[in-house]
Amino acid sequence: MAFAWKAAGITYNRYLAVAARVVRRSLKDDKRLLAERRGEMDLRFAKWEGGKQGENKSLADANMAGMAQHAGQSQ
Protein backbone atom coordinates (compact mmCIF):
# COMPACT_ATOMS: atom_id res chain seq x y z
CA MET A 1 0.00 0.00 0.00
CA ALA A 2 1.44 3.35 -1.04
CA PHE A 3 1.59 6.33 1.26
CA ALA A 4 -1.01 9.02 0.58
CA TRP A 5 1.62 11.70 -0.08
CA LYS A 6 3.33 9.47 -2.66
CA ALA A 7 0.02 8.73 -4.33
CA ALA A 8 -0.67 12.48 -4.48
CA GLY A 9 2.70 13.01 -6.20
CA ILE A 10 4.28 15.28 -3.58
CA THR A 11 7.45 14.95 -1.56
CA TYR A 12 7.44 14.01 2.09
CA ASN A 13 8.77 17.46 3.02
CA ARG A 14 5.91 19.12 1.15
CA TYR A 15 3.44 16.78 2.86
CA LEU A 16 4.82 17.81 6.25
CA ALA A 17 4.57 21.50 5.33
CA VAL A 18 0.92 21.10 4.33
CA ALA A 19 0.11 19.16 7.51
CA ALA A 20 1.84 21.78 9.68
CA ARG A 21 -0.09 24.57 7.95
CA VAL A 22 -3.39 22.77 8.60
CA VAL A 23 -2.56 22.36 12.28
CA ARG A 24 -1.53 26.03 12.60
CA ARG A 25 -4.77 27.20 10.98
CA SER A 26 -6.84 25.12 13.39
CA LEU A 27 -5.43 26.86 16.48
CA LYS A 28 -7.10 29.74 18.30
CA ASP A 29 -5.93 33.22 17.30
CA ASP A 30 -3.35 33.86 20.03
CA LYS A 31 -1.63 30.48 19.62
CA ARG A 32 -2.08 30.55 15.83
CA LEU A 33 -0.15 33.81 15.44
CA LEU A 34 2.80 32.45 17.42
CA ALA A 35 2.79 29.19 15.47
CA GLU A 36 2.58 30.95 12.09
CA ARG A 37 5.67 33.01 12.90
CA ARG A 38 7.58 29.80 13.60
CA GLY A 39 6.37 28.34 10.31
CA GLU A 40 7.83 31.03 8.07
CA MET A 41 10.88 30.06 6.07
CA ASP A 42 13.36 31.89 3.94
CA LEU A 43 15.62 29.21 2.52
CA ARG A 44 17.72 29.76 -0.55
CA PHE A 45 19.73 27.42 -2.73
CA ALA A 46 22.02 27.61 -5.74
CA LYS A 47 23.05 24.97 -8.26
CA TRP A 48 26.75 24.57 -8.93
CA GLU A 49 27.89 23.82 -12.47
CA GLY A 50 31.44 23.69 -13.71
CA GLY A 51 32.78 24.77 -10.32
CA LYS A 52 30.75 28.00 -10.35
CA GLN A 53 27.74 28.90 -8.26
CA GLY A 54 24.54 29.62 -10.16
CA GLU A 55 21.94 32.17 -9.18
CA ASN A 56 20.41 32.01 -5.68
CA LYS A 57 16.76 30.95 -5.71
CA SER A 58 14.13 30.87 -3.01
CA LEU A 59 13.30 27.31 -2.00
CA ALA A 60 9.61 28.19 -1.54
CA ASP A 61 9.38 29.70 -5.04
CA ALA A 62 11.20 26.75 -6.60
CA ASN A 63 8.94 24.31 -4.76
CA MET A 64 5.80 26.09 -6.00
CA ALA A 65 7.14 26.14 -9.58
CA GLY A 66 7.93 22.43 -9.37
CA MET A 67 4.46 21.64 -8.08
CA ALA A 68 2.86 23.68 -10.88
CA GLN A 69 5.02 21.90 -13.45
CA HIS A 70 4.12 18.51 -11.98
CA ALA A 71 0.40 19.38 -11.98
CA GLY A 72 0.63 20.38 -15.65
CA GLN A 73 2.29 17.08 -16.59
CA SER A 74 -0.23 14.90 -14.79
CA GLN A 75 -3.24 16.35 -16.63
Side-chain angles (χ1 to χ4, degrees), residues 11 14 41-47 55-71:
T11 65
R14 184 69 187 147
M41 68 173 177
D42 187 30
L43 300 175
R44 298 189 134 338
F45 73 96
K47 289 187 179 182
E55 106 179 61
N56 284 328
K57 296 181 182 178
S58 167
L59 184 62
D61 293 344
N63 194 16
M64 292 299 281
M67 286 177 49
Q69 180 182 11
H70 179 73

Side-chain angles (χ1 to χ4, degrees):
M1 181 172 140
F3 294 105
W5 55 270
K6 277 188 177 181
I10 61 174
T11 65
Y12 185 67
N13 284 339
R14 184 69 187 147
Y15 165 75
L16 289 177
V18 170
R21 189 175 346 131
V22 168
V23 170
R24 282 188 213 107
R25 288 182 179 175
S26 69
L27 297 172
K28 292 185 179 180
D29 286 338
D30 56 337
K31 304 273 187 197
R32 182 180 50 82
L33 293 174
L34 293 172
E36 283 179 353
R37 286 189 203 125
R38 286 193 306 265
E40 294 176 6
M41 68 173 177
D42 187 30
L43 300 175
R44 298 189 134 338
F45 73 96
K47 289 187 179 182
W48 288 73
E49 294 181 17
K52 297 193 180 204
Q53 180 180 355
E55 106 179 61
N56 284 328
K57 296 181 182 178
S58 167
L59 184 62
D61 293 344
N63 194 16
M64 292 299 281
M67 286 177 49
Q69 180 182 11
H70 179 73
Q73 290 176 351
S74 64
Q75 291 180 353

